[in-house]
Amino acid sequence: MIKIVTIVGARPQFIKAASVNRAIQASSQKNHIQEIFVHTGQHYDYLMDRVFFEELELPKPHYHLGVGSESHGKQTGVMLERIEAVLEREKPEAVVVYGDTNSTLAGALAAAKLNIPIAHVEAGLRSYVRTMPEEINRLLTDHLSTFLFCPTNQAVKNLEKEGIRSGRGRVIRNVGDVMYDSILYYSKLAEEKSTILKDLGLFNPQSAICNLQYYLATLHRAENTDDPKRLKSILKALHEIGKEVPVILPIHPRTKKVMKTYNLPVDSHRVRLIEPVSYLNMLVLEKHARAILTDSGGVQKEAYWFKVPCLTLRDETEWVETVKSGWNVLVGAETKKIVDAVRQREWGKDPLKNKRIFGNGRTSEKIVMVLLAHIY
Ligand code: UD1
Ligand code: UDP
Protein backbone atom coordinates (compact mmCIF):
# COMPACT_ATOMS: atom_id res chain seq x y z
CA MET A 1 0.00 0.00 0.00
CA ILE A 2 1.35 3.46 -0.88
CA LYS A 3 0.06 6.61 0.71
CA ILE A 4 -0.02 9.90 -1.17
CA VAL A 5 -1.03 13.27 0.17
CA THR A 6 -2.80 15.52 -2.34
CA ILE A 7 -2.65 19.24 -1.65
CA VAL A 8 -5.31 21.56 -3.05
CA GLY A 9 -6.58 25.01 -2.14
CA ALA A 10 -7.71 27.02 -5.17
CA ARG A 11 -10.53 26.57 -7.70
CA PRO A 12 -8.53 25.11 -10.62
CA GLN A 13 -6.83 22.64 -8.28
CA PHE A 14 -10.13 21.08 -7.27
CA ILE A 15 -10.84 20.41 -10.95
CA LYS A 16 -7.37 18.99 -11.65
CA ALA A 17 -7.25 16.83 -8.52
CA ALA A 18 -10.73 15.42 -9.26
CA SER A 19 -9.37 13.91 -12.50
CA VAL A 20 -6.52 12.13 -10.77
CA ASN A 21 -8.75 11.01 -7.91
CA ARG A 22 -11.14 9.47 -10.45
CA ALA A 23 -8.24 7.69 -12.15
CA ILE A 24 -7.15 6.23 -8.80
CA GLN A 25 -10.68 5.01 -8.12
CA ALA A 26 -10.84 3.44 -11.60
CA SER A 27 -7.42 1.82 -11.34
CA SER A 28 -7.18 -1.94 -10.96
CA GLN A 29 -4.64 -1.19 -8.26
CA LYS A 30 -6.83 1.20 -6.31
CA ASN A 31 -6.46 -0.94 -3.22
CA HIS A 32 -2.74 -0.23 -3.30
CA ILE A 33 -3.11 3.56 -3.09
CA GLN A 34 -4.41 5.58 -0.22
CA GLU A 35 -5.03 9.22 -1.12
CA ILE A 36 -5.22 11.74 1.71
CA PHE A 37 -6.76 15.09 0.73
CA VAL A 38 -5.46 18.29 2.27
CA HIS A 39 -7.34 21.53 1.56
CA THR A 40 -5.31 24.59 2.52
CA GLY A 41 -8.40 26.84 2.58
CA GLN A 42 -6.91 29.33 0.10
CA HIS A 43 -10.33 29.56 -1.60
CA TYR A 44 -13.33 29.35 0.70
CA ASP A 45 -16.45 31.04 -0.77
CA TYR A 46 -19.07 28.42 -1.61
CA LEU A 47 -18.83 29.23 -5.36
CA MET A 48 -15.01 29.11 -5.34
CA ASP A 49 -14.76 25.96 -3.27
CA ARG A 50 -17.51 23.62 -2.06
CA VAL A 51 -19.52 23.73 -5.27
CA PHE A 52 -16.60 21.93 -6.98
CA PHE A 53 -16.38 19.23 -4.31
CA GLU A 54 -20.10 18.58 -4.71
CA GLU A 55 -20.28 18.70 -8.50
CA LEU A 56 -17.05 16.77 -9.19
CA GLU A 57 -17.74 14.32 -6.34
CA LEU A 58 -14.39 14.96 -4.73
CA PRO A 59 -13.93 13.29 -1.36
CA LYS A 60 -14.34 15.57 1.64
CA PRO A 61 -10.82 16.72 2.60
CA HIS A 62 -9.24 14.68 5.37
CA TYR A 63 -7.61 17.89 6.57
CA HIS A 64 -8.89 21.42 6.12
CA LEU A 65 -6.20 23.88 7.14
CA GLY A 66 -8.42 26.98 7.11
CA VAL A 67 -5.69 29.36 5.96
CA GLY A 68 -7.83 31.82 3.95
CA SER A 69 -6.72 35.09 2.34
CA GLU A 70 -3.51 36.78 3.44
CA SER A 71 -0.47 38.49 1.92
CA HIS A 72 1.69 36.10 -0.12
CA GLY A 73 4.33 35.56 2.55
CA LYS A 74 1.91 35.07 5.41
CA GLN A 75 -0.48 32.85 3.44
CA THR A 76 2.35 30.62 2.17
CA GLY A 77 4.04 30.59 5.60
CA VAL A 78 0.94 29.55 7.52
CA MET A 79 0.22 26.86 4.93
CA LEU A 80 3.80 25.59 5.21
CA GLU A 81 3.55 25.23 8.97
CA ARG A 82 0.19 23.45 8.87
CA ILE A 83 1.05 21.17 5.93
CA GLU A 84 4.27 20.13 7.68
CA ALA A 85 2.27 18.97 10.71
CA VAL A 86 0.00 16.87 8.47
CA LEU A 87 2.94 15.31 6.62
CA GLU A 88 4.73 14.45 9.86
CA ARG A 89 1.62 12.69 11.03
CA GLU A 90 0.71 10.92 7.77
CA LYS A 91 4.24 10.05 6.60
CA PRO A 92 3.23 9.61 2.94
CA GLU A 93 5.39 8.10 0.19
CA ALA A 94 4.70 11.16 -2.02
CA VAL A 95 3.00 14.53 -2.02
CA VAL A 96 1.04 15.57 -5.12
CA VAL A 97 0.69 19.28 -5.93
CA TYR A 98 -1.08 20.98 -8.83
CA GLY A 99 -0.39 24.07 -10.91
CA ASP A 100 1.19 27.23 -9.57
CA THR A 101 -0.67 28.73 -6.62
CA ASN A 102 0.61 29.53 -3.15
CA SER A 103 -0.92 26.21 -2.03
CA THR A 104 1.30 24.45 -4.61
CA LEU A 105 4.49 26.07 -3.35
CA ALA A 106 3.65 25.57 0.32
CA GLY A 107 2.94 21.86 -0.29
CA ALA A 108 6.17 21.42 -2.23
CA LEU A 109 8.32 23.23 0.35
CA ALA A 110 6.83 21.33 3.28
CA ALA A 111 7.44 18.00 1.52
CA ALA A 112 10.97 18.92 0.40
CA LYS A 113 12.01 19.84 3.94
CA LEU A 114 10.83 16.42 5.13
CA ASN A 115 12.52 14.60 2.20
CA ILE A 116 9.21 13.38 0.84
CA PRO A 117 9.12 13.02 -2.98
CA ILE A 118 6.97 15.63 -4.71
CA ALA A 119 4.84 14.99 -7.79
CA HIS A 120 4.05 18.21 -9.67
CA VAL A 121 1.11 18.04 -12.03
CA GLU A 122 1.35 20.76 -14.72
CA ALA A 123 5.14 21.01 -14.46
CA GLY A 124 7.39 22.98 -16.80
CA LEU A 125 5.17 25.94 -17.61
CA ARG A 126 6.84 29.31 -17.87
CA SER A 127 5.80 32.86 -18.66
CA TYR A 128 9.35 34.13 -18.05
CA VAL A 129 7.84 37.01 -16.09
CA ARG A 130 9.15 36.89 -12.56
CA THR A 131 6.81 39.55 -11.25
CA MET A 132 3.96 37.02 -11.59
CA PRO A 133 3.46 35.21 -8.27
CA GLU A 134 2.60 32.07 -10.22
CA GLU A 135 5.98 32.07 -12.02
CA ILE A 136 7.86 31.99 -8.71
CA ASN A 137 5.59 29.21 -7.45
CA ARG A 138 6.10 27.02 -10.49
CA LEU A 139 9.84 27.62 -10.78
CA LEU A 140 10.50 26.62 -7.18
CA THR A 141 8.06 23.71 -7.23
CA ASP A 142 9.62 22.26 -10.40
CA HIS A 143 13.13 22.53 -9.00
CA LEU A 144 12.05 20.67 -5.84
CA SER A 145 10.02 17.94 -7.56
CA THR A 146 10.87 14.29 -8.17
CA PHE A 147 7.97 13.55 -10.53
CA LEU A 148 7.36 16.26 -13.12
CA PHE A 149 4.16 15.67 -15.05
CA CYS A 150 4.30 18.01 -18.03
CA PRO A 151 1.23 18.78 -20.14
CA THR A 152 3.13 19.47 -23.39
CA ASN A 153 6.47 18.95 -25.14
CA GLN A 154 7.17 22.64 -24.73
CA ALA A 155 6.96 22.22 -20.96
CA VAL A 156 9.55 19.42 -21.08
CA LYS A 157 11.83 21.68 -23.13
CA ASN A 158 11.38 24.54 -20.66
CA LEU A 159 12.60 22.26 -17.87
CA GLU A 160 15.58 21.11 -19.93
CA LYS A 161 16.62 24.74 -20.38
CA GLU A 162 16.87 24.98 -16.59
CA GLY A 163 18.86 21.75 -16.34
CA ILE A 164 15.91 19.71 -15.04
CA ARG A 165 16.07 16.33 -16.77
CA SER A 166 15.01 12.74 -16.10
CA GLY A 167 17.58 10.60 -14.30
CA ARG A 168 19.21 10.51 -10.87
CA GLY A 169 15.87 9.72 -9.30
CA ARG A 170 13.93 12.33 -11.28
CA VAL A 171 11.09 11.30 -13.55
CA ILE A 172 9.90 13.73 -16.22
CA ARG A 173 7.04 12.77 -18.51
CA ASN A 174 4.87 14.55 -21.03
CA VAL A 175 1.60 12.98 -19.92
CA GLY A 176 -0.79 15.55 -21.39
CA ASP A 177 -3.17 17.82 -19.52
CA VAL A 178 -5.45 16.63 -16.72
CA MET A 179 -7.93 19.40 -17.56
CA TYR A 180 -8.43 17.85 -20.98
CA ASP A 181 -9.43 14.56 -19.28
CA SER A 182 -11.82 16.62 -17.26
CA ILE A 183 -13.64 18.36 -20.10
CA LEU A 184 -13.95 15.10 -22.02
CA TYR A 185 -15.48 13.50 -18.95
CA TYR A 186 -17.83 16.33 -17.95
CA SER A 187 -18.89 18.01 -21.24
CA LYS A 188 -21.83 15.73 -21.92
CA LEU A 189 -22.99 15.82 -18.32
CA ALA A 190 -22.71 19.61 -18.38
CA GLU A 191 -24.99 19.83 -21.43
CA GLU A 192 -27.51 17.54 -19.75
CA LYS A 193 -27.51 19.15 -16.34
CA SER A 194 -26.70 22.83 -16.71
CA THR A 195 -29.54 25.30 -17.11
CA ILE A 196 -27.25 28.34 -17.17
CA LEU A 197 -28.06 29.44 -20.74
CA LYS A 198 -31.78 29.46 -19.98
CA ASP A 199 -31.26 31.02 -16.56
CA LEU A 200 -29.35 33.90 -18.14
CA GLY A 201 -31.86 34.25 -20.96
CA LEU A 202 -29.20 33.42 -23.55
CA PHE A 203 -31.03 30.51 -25.11
CA ASN A 204 -32.97 31.58 -28.17
CA PRO A 205 -35.96 29.24 -28.52
CA GLN A 206 -36.52 30.46 -32.13
CA SER A 207 -33.25 28.88 -33.13
CA ALA A 208 -32.02 25.33 -32.68
CA ILE A 209 -28.54 26.78 -32.27
CA CYS A 210 -28.10 29.00 -29.27
CA ASN A 211 -24.50 30.09 -29.80
CA LEU A 212 -23.02 33.31 -31.12
CA GLN A 213 -25.23 35.41 -28.85
CA TYR A 214 -22.72 36.39 -26.18
CA TYR A 215 -19.06 36.76 -25.34
CA LEU A 216 -17.73 35.14 -22.19
CA ALA A 217 -15.07 36.91 -20.11
CA THR A 218 -13.08 36.04 -16.99
CA LEU A 219 -10.61 38.27 -15.20
CA HIS A 220 -8.60 37.69 -12.04
CA ARG A 221 -4.83 37.89 -12.60
CA ALA A 222 -2.95 40.12 -10.18
CA GLU A 223 -1.35 41.97 -13.12
CA ASN A 224 -4.82 43.01 -14.33
CA THR A 225 -6.64 43.52 -11.05
CA ASP A 226 -3.98 45.12 -8.87
CA ASP A 227 -3.49 47.94 -11.34
CA PRO A 228 -6.80 49.88 -11.47
CA LYS A 229 -5.76 51.59 -14.73
CA ARG A 230 -5.30 48.25 -16.44
CA LEU A 231 -8.55 46.92 -15.01
CA LYS A 232 -10.41 50.04 -16.11
CA SER A 233 -9.00 49.74 -19.60
CA ILE A 234 -10.13 46.11 -19.90
CA LEU A 235 -13.61 46.91 -18.53
CA LYS A 236 -13.89 49.75 -21.05
CA ALA A 237 -13.12 47.30 -23.84
CA LEU A 238 -15.76 44.87 -22.54
CA HIS A 239 -18.33 47.71 -22.55
CA GLU A 240 -17.42 48.61 -26.12
CA ILE A 241 -17.73 44.99 -27.29
CA GLY A 242 -20.93 44.63 -25.27
CA LYS A 243 -22.62 47.30 -27.43
CA GLU A 244 -22.93 44.67 -30.16
CA VAL A 245 -23.24 41.40 -28.26
CA PRO A 246 -23.55 41.13 -24.47
CA VAL A 247 -20.54 40.06 -22.44
CA ILE A 248 -21.08 37.59 -19.61
CA LEU A 249 -18.54 38.08 -16.82
CA PRO A 250 -18.57 35.59 -13.93
CA ILE A 251 -16.68 37.71 -11.48
CA HIS A 252 -13.76 36.41 -9.38
CA PRO A 253 -13.95 37.71 -5.78
CA ARG A 254 -10.56 39.36 -6.14
CA THR A 255 -11.77 41.43 -9.11
CA LYS A 256 -15.08 42.23 -7.43
CA LYS A 257 -13.19 43.62 -4.45
CA VAL A 258 -10.97 45.88 -6.56
CA MET A 259 -13.93 47.12 -8.62
CA LYS A 260 -15.69 48.08 -5.41
CA THR A 261 -12.62 49.78 -3.94
CA TYR A 262 -12.06 51.94 -7.03
CA ASN A 263 -15.76 52.30 -7.80
CA LEU A 264 -15.52 50.87 -11.31
CA PRO A 265 -19.14 50.49 -12.34
CA VAL A 266 -20.39 48.30 -15.20
CA ASP A 267 -23.35 48.90 -17.45
CA SER A 268 -25.33 45.74 -16.91
CA HIS A 269 -26.89 45.81 -20.40
CA ARG A 270 -23.51 45.46 -22.00
CA VAL A 271 -21.54 43.56 -19.41
CA ARG A 272 -23.47 41.15 -17.24
CA LEU A 273 -21.65 40.59 -13.99
CA ILE A 274 -22.62 37.30 -12.45
CA GLU A 275 -21.31 35.35 -9.47
CA PRO A 276 -18.60 32.74 -10.22
CA VAL A 277 -20.29 29.74 -11.80
CA SER A 278 -19.95 26.03 -11.13
CA TYR A 279 -17.68 23.95 -13.38
CA LEU A 280 -20.54 22.37 -15.35
CA ASN A 281 -22.12 25.79 -15.92
CA MET A 282 -18.75 27.18 -16.97
CA LEU A 283 -18.22 24.42 -19.54
CA VAL A 284 -21.60 25.17 -21.11
CA LEU A 285 -20.96 28.93 -21.13
CA GLU A 286 -17.58 28.39 -22.77
CA LYS A 287 -18.78 25.93 -25.39
CA HIS A 288 -21.51 28.21 -26.74
CA ALA A 289 -19.72 31.54 -26.52
CA ARG A 290 -19.02 33.52 -29.65
CA ALA A 291 -15.52 34.08 -28.29
CA ILE A 292 -13.84 34.07 -24.89
CA LEU A 293 -11.85 36.92 -23.37
CA THR A 294 -9.78 35.80 -20.40
CA ASP A 295 -6.62 36.03 -18.35
CA SER A 296 -7.14 32.56 -16.86
CA GLY A 297 -4.78 29.72 -17.70
CA GLY A 298 -7.42 27.00 -17.55
CA VAL A 299 -9.97 28.96 -19.56
CA GLN A 300 -7.50 29.56 -22.44
CA LYS A 301 -7.09 25.80 -22.81
CA GLU A 302 -10.80 25.07 -22.49
CA ALA A 303 -11.48 27.60 -25.28
CA TYR A 304 -8.98 25.71 -27.43
CA TRP A 305 -10.57 22.34 -26.70
CA PHE A 306 -14.06 23.65 -27.44
CA LYS A 307 -12.70 25.29 -30.62
CA VAL A 308 -13.93 28.66 -29.43
CA PRO A 309 -11.76 31.65 -30.39
CA CYS A 310 -9.91 33.11 -27.40
CA LEU A 311 -8.50 36.56 -26.69
CA THR A 312 -6.06 36.49 -23.82
CA LEU A 313 -6.01 39.66 -21.74
CA ARG A 314 -2.30 39.36 -21.02
CA ASP A 315 0.98 40.24 -22.71
CA GLU A 316 2.29 36.69 -22.62
CA THR A 317 0.98 33.20 -21.93
CA GLU A 318 2.36 29.90 -20.71
CA TRP A 319 0.08 28.10 -23.17
CA VAL A 320 2.07 29.15 -26.24
CA GLU A 321 0.72 26.29 -28.38
CA THR A 322 -2.77 27.80 -28.35
CA VAL A 323 -1.36 31.05 -29.74
CA LYS A 324 0.84 29.33 -32.35
CA SER A 325 -2.20 27.44 -33.60
CA GLY A 326 -4.04 30.69 -34.25
CA TRP A 327 -6.87 29.98 -31.80
CA ASN A 328 -5.67 32.31 -29.10
CA VAL A 329 -4.52 35.91 -29.51
CA LEU A 330 -2.63 37.91 -26.90
CA VAL A 331 -4.35 41.28 -26.68
CA GLY A 332 -3.03 42.67 -23.40
CA ALA A 333 -5.10 45.25 -21.57
CA GLU A 334 -5.32 48.16 -24.01
CA THR A 335 -8.94 49.03 -24.84
CA LYS A 336 -8.41 49.65 -28.53
CA LYS A 337 -6.31 46.57 -29.10
CA ILE A 338 -8.94 44.35 -27.48
CA VAL A 339 -11.86 45.92 -29.33
CA ASP A 340 -10.09 45.86 -32.69
CA ALA A 341 -9.15 42.21 -32.24
CA VAL A 342 -12.75 41.27 -31.51
CA ARG A 343 -14.07 43.23 -34.52
CA GLN A 344 -11.50 41.89 -36.95
CA ARG A 345 -12.01 38.28 -35.85
CA GLU A 346 -8.85 37.15 -37.55
CA TRP A 347 -8.33 34.21 -35.26
CA GLY A 348 -9.69 30.78 -34.47
CA LYS A 349 -10.82 30.02 -37.99
CA ASP A 350 -8.96 27.01 -39.25
CA PRO A 351 -10.14 23.78 -37.61
CA LEU A 352 -7.12 21.96 -39.06
CA LYS A 353 -4.91 24.06 -36.83
CA ASN A 354 -6.72 22.87 -33.72
CA LYS A 355 -4.50 19.83 -33.16
CA ARG A 356 -4.46 17.48 -30.21
CA ILE A 357 -1.46 18.82 -28.31
CA PHE A 358 -2.53 18.23 -24.72
CA GLY A 359 -2.57 14.42 -24.65
CA ASN A 360 -5.30 11.93 -25.42
CA GLY A 361 -7.59 12.44 -22.44
CA ARG A 362 -5.89 9.71 -20.38
CA THR A 363 -3.43 11.93 -18.56
CA SER A 364 -4.64 11.12 -15.06
CA GLU A 365 -4.38 7.40 -15.73
CA LYS A 366 -0.76 7.88 -16.86
CA ILE A 367 0.07 9.88 -13.74
CA VAL A 368 -1.28 7.12 -11.51
CA MET A 369 0.64 4.47 -13.46
CA VAL A 370 3.93 6.37 -13.19
CA LEU A 371 3.47 6.91 -9.46
CA LEU A 372 2.64 3.25 -8.87
CA ALA A 373 5.57 2.08 -10.98
CA HIS A 374 8.14 4.26 -9.25
CA ILE A 375 6.99 4.43 -5.68
CA TYR A 376 6.64 0.71 -5.09
C1 UD1 B 1 -5.14 32.29 -6.92
C2 UD1 B 1 -3.79 31.94 -7.52
C3 UD1 B 1 -3.84 32.08 -9.04
C4 UD1 B 1 -4.99 31.27 -9.61
C5 UD1 B 1 -6.29 31.64 -8.92
C6 UD1 B 1 -7.40 30.74 -9.39
C7 UD1 B 1 -1.87 32.48 -6.07
C8 UD1 B 1 -0.75 33.40 -5.85
N1 UD1 B 1 -2.74 32.82 -7.03
O1 UD1 B 1 -5.38 33.67 -7.23
O2 UD1 B 1 -2.63 31.59 -9.60
O3 UD1 B 1 -5.07 31.55 -10.99
O4 UD1 B 1 -6.14 31.48 -7.50
O5 UD1 B 1 -8.65 31.30 -9.20
O6 UD1 B 1 -1.97 31.46 -5.43
N2 UD1 B 1 -11.18 35.78 -2.25
C9 UD1 B 1 -12.45 35.69 -1.73
N3 UD1 B 1 -12.98 34.44 -1.58
C10 UD1 B 1 -12.33 33.30 -1.91
C11 UD1 B 1 -11.03 33.42 -2.43
C12 UD1 B 1 -10.47 34.67 -2.59
O7 UD1 B 1 -13.09 36.69 -1.41
O8 UD1 B 1 -12.90 32.20 -1.76
C13 UD1 B 1 -10.61 37.14 -2.45
C14 UD1 B 1 -9.86 37.67 -1.22
O9 UD1 B 1 -10.09 39.04 -1.16
C15 UD1 B 1 -8.41 37.42 -1.59
C16 UD1 B 1 -8.41 37.57 -3.11
O10 UD1 B 1 -9.68 37.08 -3.52
O11 UD1 B 1 -7.53 38.30 -0.96
C17 UD1 B 1 -7.31 36.80 -3.81
O12 UD1 B 1 -7.35 35.42 -3.44
P1 UD1 B 1 -6.00 34.52 -3.52
O13 UD1 B 1 -6.33 33.12 -3.25
O14 UD1 B 1 -4.93 35.15 -2.72
O15 UD1 B 1 -5.55 34.69 -5.02
P2 UD1 B 1 -6.37 34.52 -6.36
O16 UD1 B 1 -6.43 35.85 -7.04
O17 UD1 B 1 -7.63 33.80 -6.10
N1 UDP C 1 -14.14 28.19 -13.73
C1 UDP C 1 -15.37 27.88 -13.18
N2 UDP C 1 -16.21 28.91 -12.86
C2 UDP C 1 -15.90 30.22 -13.07
C3 UDP C 1 -14.63 30.52 -13.65
C4 UDP C 1 -13.77 29.48 -13.95
O1 UDP C 1 -15.70 26.71 -12.98
O2 UDP C 1 -16.72 31.09 -12.75
C5 UDP C 1 -13.22 27.09 -14.07
C6 UDP C 1 -12.73 27.09 -15.51
O3 UDP C 1 -13.66 26.44 -16.36
C7 UDP C 1 -11.40 26.37 -15.40
C8 UDP C 1 -10.89 26.80 -14.03
O4 UDP C 1 -12.05 27.24 -13.30
O5 UDP C 1 -11.60 24.97 -15.39
C9 UDP C 1 -9.91 27.93 -14.18
O6 UDP C 1 -9.67 28.51 -12.94
P1 UDP C 1 -9.18 30.00 -12.75
O7 UDP C 1 -9.51 30.80 -13.95
O8 UDP C 1 -9.72 30.45 -11.46
O9 UDP C 1 -7.61 29.83 -12.53
P2 UDP C 1 -6.35 29.61 -13.52
O10 UDP C 1 -6.66 28.51 -14.46
O11 UDP C 1 -6.09 30.91 -14.19
O12 UDP C 1 -5.26 29.30 -12.57
Side-chain angles (χ1 to χ4, degrees):
M1 166 75 81
I2 64 166
K3 187 194 269 187
I4 61 172
V5 164
T6 292
I7 310 231
V8 291
R11 170 166 71 186
Q13 292 168 330
F14 308 139
I15 297 162
K16 293 168 196 175
S19 267
V20 175
N21 175 259
R22 218 174 29 255
I24 292 175
Q25 296 314 318
S27 157
S28 59
Q29 297 193 59
K30 75 170 181 191
N31 297 331
H32 298 294
I33 311 183
Q34 184 189 7
E35 187 180 25
I36 306 285
F37 262 92
V38 177
H39 186 328
T40 61
Q42 179 169 352
H43 286 175
Y44 43 84
D45 290 349
Y46 174 77
L47 289 172
M48 295 296 289
D49 173 17
R50 270 209 349 261
V51 69
F52 296 95
F53 282 80
E54 291 167 9
E55 207 168 66
L56 308 178
E57 295 178 336
L58 262 167
K60 192 169 174 276
H62 298 83
Y63 296 89
H64 193 295
L65 307 181
V67 176
S69 304
E70 286 293 350
S71 64
H72 285 280
K74 187 160 179 195
Q75 187 182 55
T76 313
V78 177
M79 285 177 191
L80 178 60
E81 190 181 344
R82 295 185 188 172
I83 294 169
E84 180 179 63
V86 173
L87 298 183
E88 277 179 326
R89 186 168 160 187
E90 293 292 343
K91 303 196 180 343
E93 270 77 35
V95 166
V96 186
V97 294
Y98 292 86
D100 52 20
T101 73
N102 288 348
S103 300
T104 316
L105 177 61
L109 263 179
K113 294 280 183 184
L114 293 170
N115 291 322
I116 302 169
I118 301 155
H120 185 202
V121 177
E122 220 175 67
L125 295 188
R126 296 291 181 267
S127 64
Y128 297 104
V129 177
R130 292 236 177 157
T131 49
M132 274 183 84
E134 291 86 357
E135 184 76 354
I136 303 299
N137 293 342
R138 32 176 120 89
L139 259 169
L140 295 176
T141 302
D142 282 342
H143 281 261
L144 295 174
S145 292
T146 298
F147 300 97
L148 294 105
F149 294 115
C150 298
T152 59
N153 278 330
Q154 183 62 47
V156 177
K157 284 187 199 152
N158 293 344
L159 291 175
E160 279 169 4
K161 274 194 247 165
E162 290 168 25
I164 307 178
R165 295 193 172 80
S166 283
R168 295 199 189 159
R170 244 190 185 141
V171 180
I172 301 178
R173 296 276 187 282
N174 172 4
V175 285
D177 198 303
V178 284
M179 293 184 93
Y180 184 47
D181 294 17
S182 195
I183 78 153
L184 291 181
Y185 186 84
Y186 285 108
S187 284
K188 195 160 166 263
L189 189 69
E191 290 286 357
E192 283 164 15
K193 278 197 151 180
S194 169
T195 56
I196 189 89
L197 295 178
K198 248 195 206 147
D199 298 346
L200 294 175
L202 298 166
F203 187 77
N204 178 2
Q206 309 299 313
S207 152
I209 305 164
C210 64
N211 58 354
L212 305 182
Q213 302 303 324
Y214 63 93
Y215 291 109
L216 176 67
T218 80
L219 194 56
H220 76 275
R221 289 275 158 208
E223 75 208 55
N224 285 333
T225 56
D226 291 3
D227 176 353
K229 265 198 212 137
R230 222 175 135 98
L231 181 57
K232 219 172 164 177
S233 172
I234 294 172
L235 289 173
K236 202 170 158 202
L238 298 184
H239 275 110
E240 206 47 46
I241 296 159
K243 281 183 189 165
E244 289 148 29
V245 178
V247 177
I248 309 295
L249 176 58
I251 193 86
H252 191 288
R254 174 190 201 107
T255 317
K256 190 176 182 178
K257 199 167 122 190
V258 181
M259 284 171 68
K260 202 169 160 204
T261 306
Y262 292 97
N263 191 21
L264 304 175
V266 287
D267 174 341
S268 58
H269 289 295
R270 294 176 186 175
V271 179
R272 287 183 63 181
L273 274 194
I274 59 172
E275 289 298 311
V277 295
S278 76
Y279 181 61
L280 296 187
N281 283 337
M282 188 64 180
L283 292 185
V284 168
L285 279 175
E286 288 173 341
K287 189 172 169 193
H288 296 282
R290 184 171 179 153
I292 295 177
L293 297 99
T294 189
D295 59 7
S296 155
V299 175
Q300 286 174 63
K301 288 181 288 175
E302 286 162 356
Y304 183 82
W305 294 323
F306 282 130
K307 298 189 168 67
V308 173
C310 183
L311 291 153
T312 293
L313 303 162
R314 290 179 51 193
D315 301 320
E316 71 297 309
T317 179
E318 299 76 27
W319 304 103
V320 288
E321 302 82 357
T322 60
V323 174
K324 277 187 199 147
S325 71
W327 281 83
N328 188 3
V329 173
L330 295 173
V331 287
E334 223 180 275
T335 309
K336 186 171 179 321
K337 194 165 173 199
I338 301 169
V339 175
D340 286 352
V342 170
R343 294 211 171 117
Q344 285 157 14
R345 282 190 58 101
E346 285 305 321
W347 78 107
K349 281 189 173 156
D350 184 356
L352 290 176
K353 288 195 167 168
N354 193 296
K355 292 191 185 131
R356 208 157 69 175
I357 35 180
F358 293 98
N360 61 0
R362 304 182 79 166
T363 295
S364 310
E365 229 177 286
K366 288 184 195 161
I367 289 173
V368 174
M369 276 162 53
V370 171
L371 289 177
L372 278 167
H374 288 83
I375 294 178
Y376 259 132

